[in-house]
Amino acid sequence: MTELRKQEQLLCTSSSSFFLPWTSRIFIIAAAFFTLAEITAAGNVTYDSRSLIINGQRRLLISASIHYPRSVPAMWPGLVQLAKEGGANTIETYVFWNGHELSPNNYYFGGRYDLVKFCKIVQEAGLFLILRIGPVVAAEWNYGGVPVWLHYVPGTVFRTDNEPFKYYMQKFMTYIVNLMKQEKLFAPQGGPIILAQVENEYGYYESAYGEGGKRYATWAAAMAVSQNTGVPWIMCQQYHVPDNVIDTCNGFYCDQFKPIAPNAPKMWTENWPGWFKTFGSRDPHRPAEDVAYAVARFFQKGGSLQNYYMYHGGTNFGRTAGGPFITTSYDYEAPIDEYGLARFPKWGHLKDLHRAIMLCENVMLRTEPKLLQLGPLLEADVYEDTSGACAAFIANTDDKNDKSVMFRNVSYDLPAWSVSILPDCKTVVFNTAKVGSQTSVVEMVPSNFTLSMVSPNKDFKGLTWEVFQEKAMIWGEPDFTRTGFVDQINTTKDTTDYLWCSTSFFVDANEEILKTGSRSSAMLSVESKGHALHAFVNQKLQATASGNGTHPPFNFTSPIVLKPGKNDISILGLTVGLQNAGMFYEWIGAGLTSVKILGLKNGTLDLSTYTWAYKMGVQGEQLKIYQLDGTNSVKWGSTSEPPVQQPLTWYKIVVDPPPGNEPVGLDMVHMGKGMAWLNGEEIGRYWPRKSSKHEECVLHCDYRGKFMPDKCSTGCGEPTQRWYHIPRSWFKPSGNVLVFFEEKGGDPTKIRFSRRKMMAACAHISEDHPSYDLENMQKTGNSSSSSGSKIELVCPTNSQISAVNFASFGTPTGTCGSFAKGDCHDPSSVSFVEKVCLNKNKCALEVSQVRNLNLGLCPDTPKRLAVEVICS
């Protein structure tokens, strides 16, 4: 992603369809969606300074990033459909070079990497597609998407005027373009692809490469255009823009962005609705109100294409996470969560925003906005054509104060840091700060059994665990010996996270530190370029240390226990994803740089000059004992009581899937650090590393004002990632083989499956909340089609509203989960909601209906309705 980032299922129809009844009640504007027939007849794609022109028609595009390898094929149709229901008419994805070209000319397009299948699912849904081929993608993905083998092609330097790099880059890009052409997936062929991207955010780094960088950018653009795809090429965050490509914006806000080329449309390729996480960091949150504000401001200021990065973040399965230290979860607090469920209120609020914007599409794309200054930090941008069609965006950019403004002789109230949308220049149909969508209370609900038990529909009988213990030292013969230290990445070439290095030294029997009752002890002092390590002395784990997502190198000093005579020290070096962005990032290394023993009578013993033996990987990994056909390659021990807090241990257990059809997560909070697999599929790295208790976290996030990743953090003192997504499609009906490799020690008997379930739904709305029948407005053009302020609540499919946890019409306070009655409260609120909603899957509550029950309630007091219901 950006320089800033360095600083800092089965999703089956049933699991997504519980949103459908609700969304089908709120019409989908025809202009916001494209039928398959329209897209398959898309024709050529051109552009001018206002917009893309597809098949001769201007399009206002709302795009959703969904990365195909960060979910599984069984989830793709549901994810794409849920994005469409949310108002997206376009899907965006990177192409992940290192997932496709595993070694030179060895291509893979199966499983999660079936790019053609993903593109065709987008096409079948009737959506456009933006293909960001790169092939450098950054994206918090391992090595930025570039194959590690390319670094070891002699003479290669990434991302500059370098012949080996350009040769392999062009070869891969041509391969992808030809594959898309072969499948007729570009728009002129009747396919969904309307844009393609070369390179990625190169503008941040180009100057570091001097003239070679400028020549490379020019070459990359020319090479891309020469592919003759029939669609425009883009380069995001590119400050030196070669001919015939469009520069685009990435960031939290892009309303002030202007493309360099005067004939290029204003496009936003990455709007970050949340943020990524690194192991040991806090949990960042970006409020829905601020995301909506940024989007509305972008279109207010003449934007024509906006893409959410991410709309569904997904999961960094296996060893695909980059960083280093990027978590296995890539949830990104996106509108669709990691597990494939709509995240309310963000998904719903943005859906409402998209409907409002699309009401303005025709007049917006026919004209340029006219700016009107309405007062301090108040402005309107008006789109008006000669036919009399008119749309306006009125913004209050004050990040503290609500304001009233006169626009065309009418007074409008605008909350701080908000935009109101008026499709007819008169009627406010949406305000970015007023959330009318429900909020869902989603929890990871543990199954009522741990992995030491069978599923609850059988006897609670202890299961048999199988255990394989690695040696706490080099196993077998070393791969090589060397005086001093080697770079870990250059040694393993990222074929494994693990590199053993071992040596030995002697301790005199008369050392003071060996005497019983001695107050002093020997100390191990280590310096490392990163990322982490486990230190064993005489086959006992003595220390664990690591860097972090903002500073991978680390130093540490730790007491160790020695014995008279020969002492063996074995250090298991670890990588936690490779660098994914930055200037010359491929040269950033990892591994030991200094090892010393302190506290001996003759002074410091520097082991850095000793001869060290090296071995890549751990034995079970090398033998692939996590694969179904590899589990018999070692002798497993069977037990009903597996060892706990034992490092370097492999665990295997056969389990049934959790009941139900909800998405599944594996609760690893009682484990240390390691890797997990189900039926040979890579779940990924697990590490319930806690963030600092002393960092600043918030209980409530103020949406007002510029967002940065550290503005609204939660989870201080808690594990950054506790649950690890296992797609439902990976489970068999029975006999599922779950394998873990635990590096430093944990309690496998406390591992649990958890199901991601929506437990409750909340909503609150004011009397003056803009609420219009947008479908009728679209059909009739009648801007007075008000349906009144209304709350709509929906539970998942096959569940219903079983209880009303809270209801108050008046002046309730608090937020979802913490509502409280205010000084003004209608005592009939609960009974009214129960009458309308109980035992139903969904219900709608109009504020006017509640108000009519008690017309004399708190006169002259602005009132709101707040409701929380339980789904079961």
Side-chain angles (χ1 to χ4, degrees):
M1 299 296 305
T2 68
E3 180 66 22
L4 171 63
R5 297 184 183 198
K6 296 190 300 168
Q7 300 169 3
E8 10 122 18
Q9 149 189 325
L10 182 47
L11 176 73
C12 51
T13 301
S14 60
S15 63
S16 65
S17 64
F18 67 78
F19 299 107
L20 286 174
W22 177 51
T23 55
S24 65
R25 290 169 58 89
I26 304 177
F27 93 107
I28 299 174
I29 299 172
F33 301 94
F34 304 94
T35 66
L36 180 59
E38 285 177 308
I39 288 189
T40 54
N44 288 335
V45 182
T46 60
Y47 62 89
D48 61 15
S49 62
R50 188 64 194 93
S51 71
L52 291 183
I53 303 169
I54 304 171
N55 199 25
Q57 184 176 357
R58 295 187 181 279
R59 295 294 197 186
L60 192 149
L61 299 170
I62 295 173
S63 176
S65 287
I66 300 173
H67 292 165
Y68 53 98
R70 282 176 158 146
S71 54
V72 294
M75 294 176 66
W76 293 344
L79 293 172
V80 170
Q81 183 62 32
L82 195 51
K84 180 176 180 178
E85 293 162 20
N89 51 34
T90 306
I91 300 296
E92 177 273 346
T93 186
Y94 280 126
V95 177
F96 296 84
W97 186 1
N98 57 12
H100 291 299
E101 193 171 7
L102 307 183
S103 58
N105 300 313
N106 175 23
Y107 295 101
Y108 176 72
F109 287 89
R112 301 196 322 273
Y113 293 92
D114 193 340
L115 173 61
V116 169
K117 181 175 182 177
F118 180 79
C119 293
K120 290 185 176 180
I121 286 172
V122 172
Q123 183 178 27
E124 289 163 4
L127 303 181
F128 293 130
L129 180 65
I130 301 170
L131 196 66
R132 301 174 74 185
I133 303 175
V136 180
V137 300
E140 291 75 56
W141 186 267
N142 195 52
Y143 222 45
V146 180
V148 173
W149 56 257
L150 182 56
H151 179 54
Y152 300 99
V153 172
T156 300
V157 180
F158 290 3
R159 308 180 83 182
T160 189
D161 187 16
N162 174 268
E163 291 306 318
F165 182 76
K166 292 193 299 181
Y167 169 78
Y168 285 101
M169 174 179 168
Q170 180 171 1
K171 185 166 71 71
F172 178 74
M173 178 166 283
T174 302
Y175 190 98
I176 294 298
V177 168
N178 287 342
L179 179 62
M180 298 296 102
K181 287 180 178 179
Q182 176 184 319
E183 299 293 334
K184 293 182 169 52
L185 291 169
F186 285 106
Q189 301 173 293
I193 301 173
I194 57 170
L195 283 176
Q197 178 175 300
V198 61
E199 251 296 337
N200 187 71
E201 296 179 333
Y202 189 60
Y204 290 127
Y205 317 115
E206 181 179 311
S207 62
Y209 297 91
E211 286 300 311
K214 187 172 183 178
R215 290 195 303 270
Y216 164 71
T218 301
W219 168 86
M223 181 269 293
V225 173
S226 73
Q227 301 283 340
N228 296 317
T229 61
V231 302
W233 286 85
I234 59 175
M235 297 181 83
C236 63
Q237 293 299 104
Q238 182 62 36
Y239 310 134
H240 151 245
V241 183
D243 294 337
N244 300 319
V245 298
I246 306 170
D247 63 305
T248 65
C249 182
N250 293 355
F252 290 113
Y253 308 92
C254 281
D255 50 289
Q256 299 304 312
F257 166 77
K258 292 183 179 179
I260 295 173
N263 66 331
K266 178 173 178 173
M267 299 194 291
W268 188 1
T269 37
E270 292 189 14
N271 173 10
W272 306 321
W275 203 242
F276 60 87
K277 297 190 291 186
T278 58
F279 287 115
S281 71
R282 298 169 294 168
D283 204 1
H285 301 280
R286 188 179 183 193
E289 298 96 323
D290 183 62
V291 181
Y293 173 83
V295 175
R297 287 285 287 167
F298 176 73
F299 285 110
Q300 175 179 352
K301 294 299 181 180
S304 62
L305 182 155
Q306 186 266 164
N307 174 63
Y308 294 103
Y309 185 103
M310 301 293 297
Y311 198 81
H312 166 71
T315 306
N316 293 315
F317 295 110
R319 299 174 58 249
T320 60
F325 294 96
I326 297 295
T327 55
T328 302
S329 170
Y330 199 63
D331 180 85
Y332 221 88
E333 210 198 24
I336 303 176
D337 72 16
E338 177 184 4
Y339 294 81
L341 303 181
R343 170 174 276 114
F344 287 99
K346 187 171 284 185
W347 183 89
H349 190 50
L350 295 177
K351 175 183 173 63
D352 293 342
L353 167 68
H354 302 153
R355 289 199 303 259
I357 290 172
M358 297 308 291
L359 280 173
C360 309
E361 179 186 25
N362 290 336
V363 67
M364 284 177 64
L365 295 181
R366 289 198 301 265
T367 60
E368 295 290 339
K370 179 180 179 182
L371 174 63
L372 300 177
Q373 295 294 342
L374 304 177
L377 302 177
L378 289 167
E379 63 182 30
D381 284 270
V382 181
Y383 295 84
E384 191 168 16
D385 65 17
T386 56
S387 72
C390 185
F393 293 72
I394 306 177
N396 176 7
T397 61
D398 191 317
D399 61 8
K400 296 180 177 62
N401 302 302
D402 298 350
K403 296 191 175 184
S404 294
V405 60
M406 292 295 296
F407 174 70
R408 296 197 170 190
N409 300 316
V410 178
S411 178
Y412 296 91
D413 294 325
L414 278 84
W417 200 253
S418 76
V419 178
S420 286
I421 300 175
L422 295 71
D424 59 357
C425 285
K426 294 182 293 186
T427 309
V428 175
V429 300
F430 183 88
N431 178 272
T432 59
K434 295 183 177 182
V435 179
S437 169
Q438 77 174 39
T439 296
S440 297
V441 178
V442 178
E443 297 178 3
M444 298 299 293
V445 179
S447 297
N448 57 356
F449 64 103
T450 63
L451 296 189
S452 60
M453 305 175 185
V454 296
S455 57
N457 58 347
K458 300 180 181 179
D459 295 333
F460 283 80
K461 178 183 178 183
L463 289 178
T464 299
W465 289 79
E466 294 188 73
V467 178
F468 173 68
Q469 182 67 46
E470 295 265 353
K471 293 181 180 179
M473 57 187 296
I474 285 178
W475 50 276
E477 294 297 317
D479 292 328
F480 61 92
T481 59
R482 186 73 49 84
T483 299
F485 302 115
V486 298
D487 182 84
Q488 179 159 345
I489 298 171
N490 285 339
T491 302
T492 66
K493 296 180 173 58
D494 197 43
T495 57
T496 174
D497 280 1
Y498 305 112
L499 178 65
W500 278 110
C501 46
S502 300
T503 194
S504 59
F505 58 94
F506 285 84
V507 174
D508 190 289
N510 295 319
E511 283 283 353
E512 180 68 22
I513 60 171
L514 299 178
K515 295 179 181 179
T516 302
S518 173
R519 294 185 178 182
S520 60
S521 63
M523 305 292 288
L524 174 65
S525 177
V526 175
E527 297 178 9
S528 172
K529 293 181 289 185
H531 305 152
L533 63 80
H534 305 302
F536 298 83
V537 178
N538 300 320
Q539 299 191 46
K540 300 291 184 182
L541 179 61
Q542 302 269 317
T544 289
S546 71
N548 57 54
T550 56
H551 190 69
F554 62 94
N555 304 331
F556 79 94
T557 301
S558 177
I560 55 174
V561 176
L562 301 176
K563 65 181 182 180
K566 182 183 179 183
N567 287 260
D568 296 314
I569 181 168
S570 297
I571 296 177
L572 183 61
L574 313 171
T575 51
V576 192
L578 301 191
Q579 192 80 22
N580 56 253
M583 56 193 73
F584 302 102
Y585 76 87
E586 72 271 27
W587 301 97
I588 297 174
L592 298 171
T593 57
S594 173
V595 177
K596 297 177 181 179
I597 306 297
L598 311 180
L600 302 179
K601 62 183 179 181
N602 290 331
T604 297
L605 178 62
D606 189 351
L607 300 180
S608 306
T609 59
Y610 278 43
T611 297
W612 290 76
Y614 290 89
K615 185 81 170 183
M616 290 181 283
V618 293
Q619 185 178 8
E621 178 190 37
Q622 293 287 318
L623 296 174
K624 294 182 170 56
I625 65 175
Y626 50 83
Q627 293 183 349
L628 294 180
D629 58 358
T631 56
N632 295 324
S633 55
V634 298
K635 186 176 181 180
W636 295 81
S638 297
T639 178
S640 59
E641 297 182 2
V644 299
Q645 305 306 328
Q646 181 170 289
L648 303 179
T649 304
W650 291 83
Y651 299 96
K652 181 173 67 171
I653 192 168
V654 178
V655 295
D656 287 340
N661 61 3
E662 301 92 348
V664 178
L666 197 63
D667 186 350
M668 303 296 282
V669 72
H670 296 288
M671 297 298 283
K673 181 183 180 300
M675 300 278 288
W677 296 262
L678 179 75
N679 296 326
E681 299 283 0
E682 301 173 301
I683 298 170
R685 298 183 182 98
Y686 67 82
W687 191 4
R689 184 182 188 181
K690 294 182 178 180
S691 66
S692 171
K693 293 181 180 179
H694 305 294
E695 294 181 291
E696 185 176 345
C697 284
V698 299
L699 294 176
H700 173 70
C701 181
D702 187 347
Y703 75 88
R704 299 174 300 179
K706 292 278 188 179
F707 178 80
M708 292 295 286
D710 59 354
K711 178 181 178 181
C712 294
S713 297
T714 62
C716 290
E718 299 176 0
T720 305
Q721 184 175 356
R722 174 174 177 171
W723 291 277
Y724 296 79
H725 180 209
I726 306 179
R728 277 278 183 183
S729 59
W730 286 2
F731 284 97
K732 301 182 293 185
S734 62
N736 297 279
V737 179
L738 195 56
V739 177
F740 313 97
F741 174 56
E742 173 54 49
E743 297 169 12
K744 64 178 185 176
D747 188 348
T749 66
K750 293 181 179 178
I751 295 172
R752 289 179 179 267
F753 285 130
S754 296
R755 291 173 291 162
R756 191 161 181 82
K757 298 184 68 174
M758 181 178 136
M759 308 301 293
C762 313
H764 57 91
I765 196 168
S766 61
E767 290 181 291
D768 63 350
H769 185 90
S771 185
Y772 285 83
D773 185 344
L774 299 179
E775 181 176 18
N776 191 53
M777 289 178 66
Q778 179 72 16
K779 290 178 179 178
T780 67
N782 181 3
S783 62
S784 62
S785 303
S786 175
S787 60
S789 298
K790 181 169 59 177
I791 282 177
E792 297 197 355
L793 301 169
V794 60
C795 289
T797 302
N798 300 323
S799 68
Q800 60 186 16
I801 297 169
S802 58
V804 177
N805 208 36
F806 180 88
S808 176
F809 178 66
T811 56
T813 60
T815 58
C816 186
S818 61
F819 286 135
K821 298 174 185 176
D823 294 334
C824 175
H825 167 69
D826 186 342
S828 64
S829 301
V830 172
S831 60
F832 173 78
V833 175
E834 288 177 337
K835 180 179 178 180
V836 175
C837 296
L838 275 185
N839 303 317
K840 296 179 181 177
N841 174 259
K842 59 185 180 294
C843 66
L845 301 162
E846 292 196 17
V847 174
S848 60
Q849 293 176 307
V850 188
R851 182 174 56 239
N852 290 340
L853 298 175
N854 191 343
L855 293 174
L857 179 71
C858 309
D860 302 322
T861 299
K863 290 175 280 295
R864 57 199 290 256
L865 175 63
V867 178
E868 179 177 334
V869 299
I870 304 299
C871 298
S872 62

